[in-house]
Structure formats: C-alpha cells, structure tokens
Amino acid sequence: MIRFEGEFSFSGDKSVTQRAILLGGVAQGETVICGAAQGKDAQTALSCISALGAEVKHLGETLVIKGAPRLKSAVSLDCGNSATCMRLLTGLLSGKGIEATLFGDGSLSRRPMARVAEPLTRLGARIETELGKPPIYISPAFLTGGEIALSIPSAQVKSALMLAGLDAKNGVFVVENHPTRDHTERMLPLFGAPVSVTKTEQGKRIFTQKCGLKGTEIDVAGDLSSAAYFMALGALKGRVLCKNVGVNPTRTGIFKAFKKLGVRFSLSNERTVSGEPRADVLVEKSELKAVKITAEEIPLMIDELPLIAILCLFANGESTVSGASELKEKESDRLSGTVRLIRALGGEAEETTDGWRIRGDTRLVGGDVPTALIGGDHRLCMTAAIALLSSEKGGMLSGVNACNVSFPEFFEKLKSAGAGVE
Ligand code: S3P
C-alpha cells in the first residue's frame, strides 16, 4: 500500500458499552444506549443481563434495556472472551443475594480472577474460584464494605469493587495510586448512584455507597482502541480523520506515545457527551523517533501497546517498553505474541522481563501470519493486519475472525478504504 487516506467513524467504545449494559441490566426502569459497541464482548454482556432477568430490545442502532427488578436467584453466566464482563459482574452481583456461576471461553478460563475474588471477599463477599481462575462461584452474602487499596493498576478490579459498594452496608472506598480508565466513576452518577472522588497524595480515593440504580440514557463515543489501528495507518501511510472518538484522558496514553514518537496529530470538535469527552482526531504521515515507555505510562495505553510496538519498527533507533507485564494476562500473552508477530514479518524485537526492545529502521519484509500466532486474540489480529499493510510485501493473515470480539467491521472498513485487503 502506497498511501492510505480517509475519514472514518467507529462503533461505540467497548468498555463504556459493557458498563452501560451491565448497569442497565440491574437498574430500575429503562436504559437507552445509543451507538453501542458491535463486537462479541458487547453481545456477551447483553446475554448475561438477559440471563439475570433483564429485557433487551434492539431498535436499529439503539439498545433499550429494561432492568431486572428482581434478579433470578440462581444463574449461570457465560462471559465468553470478556474479562471485563466477568470481573465487573463479580463485583456487581457479590452483594445481590443470588447464587451465580460465571464461566468463559478457553482464553478467559486461563485469566487471573483472584485479583477480584480476594478483595471482594475482604468486603464480605462469598466468592470461590478454581485456584484463582474461572469459573467464579458467587454465593449470597452480606457485604459490610470497607477500604481496599488496589494492588495492581486495573480498571476492572477497581470497577468490581466500586460496584460491590452499591450493596455494601458501609459503602466501599477504593484507593487508586496509579490512574486507570475511569468510565465507571463517570457513569454511575448517570444511573443515580453518587460517586465521591477525593485526591490523595499519590492518586485518588473513590467512595461508592448502598444505592439502587435508575435507568438512564447513554450515548457512547467511538472506540479509541479501534480507531487506533486506523490512526497508526495514518501515521505510517498518509492521512486519517477519525470522527467522534472517545478521548477520555484515562484512555489517551496512546496520544502520549504518539507525541514521543513524533506522530503528527490534532484534536478538533472536542465536547463531552454522557459524561465522556470525545473529539475528531486527525493523524498525518510522520517521521518517527525511537521511544522509551515506562511503567507509569502503561495502564493508560495498555490495549494499544502491541500496535505501538509496530510503530516503533518504523522509528529511527531502538525503542524500549518496560513495566508492561500485565500484557501477559490479556486475552493471550501479548508480550510474547507481539514479538513472534514482528519476527514472523522480518522485524527485530526482543521480549524482556516486563516489556520489549524493538529495533527501528529495519526492513519489515512481510510474511504469513498463522492462526496459532494470533491465538484468537482480537488485538493481536488487528495489530498483525496493520503490520502487514505497512510491510514491504504483505502476507496472508489467518484467524481473522478474532477481530469480531471488539471490532467486527475492521477488515470491511480497511477494504472499502482501499487499504489492500483481499
Ligand atoms: C478494561 C480495562 C483494562 C483493559 C480491558 C478493558 C475495562 O483491563 O485492558 O481491555 O473495560 O475496564 P485491566 O483493567 O485489567 O487493566
């Protein structure tokens, strides 16, 4: 591909959509979600709330959820590939007085769940796991509440604890010393649940309290994590305008990486809708410089790191990423998967204990990427596509259905923009 240019919009943010669906599912009355995410993870959240007793209607692009006034007393919930769904539901259901079993697909079954089960248990919940992995078994319990300091920077863990606070006698304080995405903090007040956030020396302390939720209307901005793939093509190959994209500052670590890399980009039409900032983002072809990305920057760009690694291949020197061992705990081990991908295409990268060393300015020849390399991981699949499109010869990418988890329109969008996808 010589040049890539175009104007794009994206379906709704996956993190925001999943939160809106789960909260809508237990809220009293109707919740209307406009511009919801289209991927399998959003469908998973919808089937979980249906299993709990909520009613879901699709009105064109709009979702209407009638929350379950009384949840089913015993449920088995298939969380598919989605750790967000499993971890948030564990917190949300832990004080609802029901029996629930939460299970997932092969990838989710390997992911760590003690990180939610253990602190929730300290709040009074009765939760069991299979040696820290799914399934998760929740039994009725009386939540007293209390204060928990997050042991890892994780928005999923933070959110699970905040949601448990809605059923805890004394409420729940969560102490966060490293910022992570704050969609739950922003959304709960829209459902009528007060959230109080106070600054601490190192970060913040969030308080949620016993409270019923009321249905609301939420308009979801385009998913920045999906748009990022198109932005990367803009930076490497031309000019891309991504319209109506969520630019919540706890998600825009990628913009910080862009600045360091020397990517030319600008934001326009900035506004806030349903408590979340959004903007149009223009990214233009740029000369890239090698970067050093360190631990404190990681949580705000966690899902974009494999893509950032590909940009580093085109920078003028060696880039390093450290403090990113959480990438091993994602839908697949993205730390080793990214290195295998880069090497399969003729690039040079090395895995360190908690990150990568990536050689820039080498020839990215291209080559075939087999299904096993992607390991069913949606982000590695889309990262591989961008790497191939930016390589000299391209190659055959297998296992492309993986993108359906978050961005089913990905390949169609590339194709219709003339990106060289057949
Ligand atoms: C998410 C939080 C992040 C992110 C995931 C979605 C969320 O995970 O990687 O894709 O919606 O809260 P962690 O909170 O575990 O880092």
Coordinates of all heavy atoms in Angstrom, one line a residue, residues 119-120 123 146-152 154-165 171-177 180 185 196-198 200 203-208:
P119 N -10.1 -9.3 47.1 CA -10.5 -8.1 47.7 C -12.0 -8.0 48.0 O -12.5 -7.5 49.0 CB -10.1 -6.9 46.8 CG -9.8 -7.6 45.5 CD -9.4 -9.0 45.8
L120 N -12.8 -8.7 47.1 CA -14.3 -8.7 47.3 C -14.6 -9.5 48.6 O -15.5 -9.1 49.4 CB -15.0 -9.2 46.1 CG -15.1 -8.3 44.9 CD1 -15.6 -9.1 43.7 CD2 -16.1 -7.1 45.2
L123 N -14.5 -7.6 51.6 CA -15.6 -6.7 51.8 C -16.8 -7.5 52.4 O -17.8 -6.9 52.7 CB -16.0 -6.0 50.5 CG -15.0 -5.1 49.9 CD1 -15.5 -4.6 48.5 CD2 -14.7 -3.9 50.8
G146 N -15.9 -1.5 53.3 CA -14.6 -1.1 53.9 C -13.7 -0.5 52.8 O -14.2 0.0 51.8
E147 N -12.4 -0.4 53.1 CA -11.5 0.2 52.3 C -10.5 -0.7 51.7 O -10.0 -1.6 52.4 CB -10.7 1.3 53.0 CG -9.7 2.0 52.2 CD -9.1 3.3 52.8 OE1 -9.9 4.1 53.4 OE2 -7.9 3.4 52.8
I148 N -10.3 -0.6 50.4 CA -9.3 -1.5 49.7 C -8.4 -0.7 48.9 O -8.8 0.2 48.1 CB -10.0 -2.5 48.7 CG1 -11.2 -3.3 49.4 CG2 -9.0 -3.4 48.0 CD1 -10.8 -4.6 50.1
A149 N -7.1 -0.9 49.0 CA -6.1 -0.3 48.1 C -5.8 -1.2 47.0 O -5.5 -2.4 47.2 CB -4.8 0.1 48.9
L150 N -5.9 -0.7 45.8 CA -5.7 -1.6 44.6 C -4.2 -2.1 44.6 O -3.3 -1.3 44.8 CB -6.0 -0.9 43.3 CG -7.4 -0.5 43.1 CD1 -7.5 0.4 41.8 CD2 -8.3 -1.7 42.9
S151 N -4.1 -3.4 44.4 CA -2.7 -3.9 44.4 C -2.1 -3.9 43.0 O -0.9 -4.0 42.9 CB -2.7 -5.4 45.0 OG -3.5 -6.2 44.3
I152 N -2.9 -3.8 42.0 CA -2.4 -3.6 40.6 C -3.3 -2.5 40.0 O -4.4 -2.4 40.3 CB -2.6 -4.9 39.8 CG1 -3.9 -5.6 40.0 CG2 -1.4 -5.9 40.0 CD1 -4.2 -6.6 38.9
S154 N -5.6 -1.6 37.8 CA -6.6 -2.3 36.9 C -8.0 -1.7 37.1 O -8.6 -1.6 38.1 CB -6.7 -3.8 37.3 OG -7.9 -4.4 36.8
A155 N -8.5 -1.2 35.9 CA -9.8 -0.6 35.9 C -10.9 -1.6 36.2 O -12.0 -1.3 36.8 CB -10.1 0.1 34.6
Q156 N -10.6 -2.8 35.8 CA -11.6 -3.9 36.0 C -11.7 -4.2 37.5 O -12.9 -4.4 38.0 CB -11.2 -5.1 35.2 CG -11.3 -4.9 33.7 CD -10.8 -6.1 32.9 OE1 -10.3 -7.1 33.4 NE2 -11.0 -6.0 31.6
V157 N -10.6 -4.3 38.2 CA -10.7 -4.6 39.6 C -11.3 -3.4 40.3 O -12.2 -3.6 41.2 CB -9.2 -4.9 40.1 CG1 -9.3 -5.1 41.7 CG2 -8.6 -6.1 39.4
K158 N -10.8 -2.2 40.0 CA -11.4 -1.0 40.6 C -12.9 -1.0 40.5 O -13.7 -0.8 41.4 CB -10.8 0.2 40.0 CG -11.4 1.5 40.3 CD -10.7 2.7 39.7 CE -10.9 2.8 38.2 NZ -10.3 4.1 37.7
S159 N -13.4 -1.3 39.2 CA -14.8 -1.2 39.0 C -15.6 -2.3 39.7 O -16.7 -2.0 40.2 CB -15.1 -1.4 37.5 OG -14.4 -0.4 36.7
A160 N -15.0 -3.5 39.8 CA -15.7 -4.6 40.5 C -15.9 -4.1 42.0 O -17.0 -4.3 42.5 CB -14.8 -5.8 40.5
L161 N -14.9 -3.5 42.6 CA -15.0 -3.1 44.0 C -16.0 -1.9 44.1 O -16.9 -1.9 45.0 CB -13.7 -2.7 44.5 CG -12.6 -3.8 44.5 CD1 -11.2 -3.3 44.8 CD2 -13.0 -4.9 45.6
M162 N -16.0 -1.0 43.2 CA -16.9 0.1 43.2 C -18.4 -0.4 43.1 O -19.3 0.1 43.8 CB -16.7 1.1 42.1 CG -15.4 1.9 42.2 SD -15.2 2.9 40.7 CE -16.6 4.0 40.8
L163 N -18.6 -1.4 42.3 CA -19.9 -1.9 42.1 C -20.4 -2.7 43.3 O -21.6 -2.7 43.6 CB -20.0 -2.7 40.8 CG -19.7 -2.0 39.5 CD1 -19.8 -2.9 38.3 CD2 -20.6 -0.8 39.3
A164 N -19.5 -3.4 44.0 CA -19.9 -4.0 45.2 C -20.3 -3.0 46.2 O -21.2 -3.3 47.0 CB -18.7 -4.9 45.7
G165 N -19.7 -1.8 46.2 CA -20.1 -0.7 47.1 C -21.6 -0.4 47.1 O -22.2 0.0 48.1
G171 N -20.6 1.0 52.5 CA -20.0 1.5 51.3 C -18.6 1.0 51.1 O -18.1 0.3 51.9
V172 N -18.0 1.3 50.0 CA -16.7 0.8 49.7 C -15.8 2.0 49.3 O -16.2 2.9 48.5 CB -16.7 -0.2 48.5 CG1 -15.3 -0.5 48.0 CG2 -17.4 -1.5 49.0
F173 N -14.6 2.1 49.9 CA -13.6 3.0 49.5 C -12.5 2.3 48.7 O -12.0 1.3 49.1 CB -12.9 3.6 50.7 CG -13.7 4.6 51.5 CD1 -14.4 4.1 52.6 CD2 -13.8 5.9 51.2 CE1 -15.2 4.9 53.4 CE2 -14.6 6.8 52.0 CZ -15.3 6.3 53.1
V174 N -12.2 2.8 47.5 CA -11.1 2.2 46.7 C -10.0 3.2 46.6 O -10.3 4.3 46.2 CB -11.6 1.8 45.3 CG1 -10.5 1.0 44.5 CG2 -12.9 0.9 45.3
V175 N -8.8 2.8 46.9 CA -7.7 3.7 46.9 C -6.9 3.3 45.6 O -6.4 2.2 45.5 CB -6.8 3.6 48.1 CG1 -5.6 4.5 48.0 CG2 -7.6 3.9 49.4
E176 N -6.7 4.3 44.7 CA -6.0 4.0 43.4 C -4.8 4.9 43.4 O -4.9 6.1 43.3 CB -7.0 4.3 42.3 CG -6.3 4.0 40.9 CD -7.3 4.3 39.7 OE1 -7.6 5.5 39.5 OE2 -7.6 3.4 39.0
N177 N -3.6 4.3 43.3 CA -2.4 5.1 43.3 C -1.9 5.3 41.9 O -1.0 6.2 41.7 CB -1.3 4.5 44.2 CG -1.7 4.6 45.6 OD1 -2.4 5.5 46.0 ND2 -1.3 3.6 46.4
T180 N -6.2 4.6 36.2 CA -6.7 3.6 35.2 C -8.0 4.2 34.6 O -8.5 5.2 35.2 CB -7.0 2.2 35.7 OG1 -8.0 2.3 36.7 CG2 -5.7 1.6 36.4
E185 N -16.5 5.5 37.2 CA -16.7 6.7 38.0 C -17.6 7.7 37.3 O -18.4 8.4 37.9 CB -15.3 7.4 38.3 CG -14.4 6.7 39.2 CD -13.4 5.8 38.4 OE1 -13.9 5.0 37.6 OE2 -12.2 5.8 38.7
S196 N -18.1 9.5 45.2 CA -17.3 10.7 45.6 C -15.8 10.3 45.4 O -15.3 9.2 45.8 CB -17.7 11.1 47.0 OG -16.7 10.7 47.9
V197 N -15.1 11.2 44.8 CA -13.7 11.0 44.5 C -12.9 12.1 45.2 O -13.1 13.3 45.0 CB -13.4 11.1 43.0 CG1 -11.9 10.9 42.7 CG2 -14.3 10.1 42.2
T198 N -11.9 11.7 46.1 CA -11.1 12.7 46.7 C -9.6 12.4 46.3 O -9.2 11.3 46.1 CB -11.2 12.6 48.2 OG1 -11.1 11.3 48.6 CG2 -12.4 13.2 48.7
T200 N -5.7 12.0 46.8 CA -4.7 11.6 47.8 C -3.4 12.1 47.3 O -3.2 12.5 46.2 CB -4.8 10.1 48.1 OG1 -4.3 9.5 46.9 CG2 -6.1 9.6 48.4
G203 N -2.7 9.5 44.5 CA -3.7 9.2 43.5 C -5.1 9.7 43.9 O -5.3 10.9 44.2
K204 N -6.0 8.7 44.0 CA -7.3 9.1 44.5 C -8.0 8.1 45.3 O -7.6 6.9 45.3 CB -8.2 9.5 43.3 CG -8.5 8.4 42.3 CD -9.3 8.9 41.1 CE -9.8 7.8 40.2 NZ -10.7 8.2 39.2
R205 N -9.1 8.5 46.0 CA -9.9 7.6 46.8 C -11.3 7.7 46.4 O -11.8 8.8 46.3 CB -9.7 8.0 48.3 CG -10.1 7.1 49.3 CD -9.5 7.5 50.7 NE -9.9 6.7 51.8 CZ -10.8 7.1 52.7 NH1 -11.4 8.3 52.6 NH2 -11.1 6.3 53.7
I206 N -11.9 6.6 46.0 CA -13.2 6.6 45.4 C -14.2 6.0 46.4 O -13.9 4.9 46.9 CB -13.3 5.8 44.1 CG1 -12.1 6.3 43.2 CG2 -14.6 6.0 43.4 CD1 -11.6 5.2 42.3
F207 N -15.4 6.6 46.6 CA -16.3 6.0 47.6 C -17.6 5.8 46.8 O -18.2 6.7 46.1 CB -16.6 7.0 48.7 CG -17.6 6.5 49.7 CD1 -17.4 5.3 50.4 CD2 -18.8 7.2 49.9 CE1 -18.3 4.8 51.4 CE2 -19.7 6.7 50.9 CZ -19.5 5.5 51.6
T208 N -18.1 4.5 46.9 CA -19.5 4.2 46.4 C -20.3 3.7 47.6 O -19.7 3.1 48.5 CB -19.5 3.2 45.3 OG1 -18.7 2.1 45.7 CG2 -18.9 3.7 44.0

